[in-house]
Amino acid sequence: ESSRSYQKNTGNQVEVCFTGFGKIKKAELINLAKENGMLIRNDVTAKLDILVTGDNAGPSKMKSAKGKGIKITDADGFKKLLDTGEI
């Protein structure tokens, strides 16, 4: 648990993973998530709340998220979540 990108969830923070995006778009989405108090994950874990997928999303992350019952959405759905609190 000492990897650079690991952050400890200190309560009921939403954990989100972004996959299938170009560097610039992914950075924008990560900044939005951080501004909204979310934790960024690089992998699909049992504690992950949302997987946000782009055009090049890998099938293994999608399959893993579906198998764990994790919500999957695209960038527009993620922005809607930030605006409305709903996916």
Side-chain angles (χ1 to χ4, degrees), residues 44-51 61-72 87:
V44 174
T45 66
K47 293 183 178 180
L48 190 71
D49 296 297
I50 306 164
L51 179 65
K61 281 190 179 176
M62 300 276 286
K63 184 177 179 183
S64 180
K66 285 179 183 167
K68 291 177 172 69
I70 294 166
K71 292 183 178 99
I72 301 172
I87 291 183

Side-chain angles (χ1 to χ4, degrees), residues 31-65:
N31 284 336
L32 276 175
K34 286 182 178 177
E35 287 169 9
N36 284 275
M38 297 179 176
L39 292 181
I40 313 307
R41 295 287 182 240
N42 292 325
D43 297 305
V44 174
T45 66
K47 293 183 178 180
L48 190 71
D49 296 297
I50 306 164
L51 179 65
V52 184
T53 60
D55 293 337
N56 298 315
S60 60
K61 281 190 179 176
M62 300 276 286
K63 184 177 179 183
S64 180

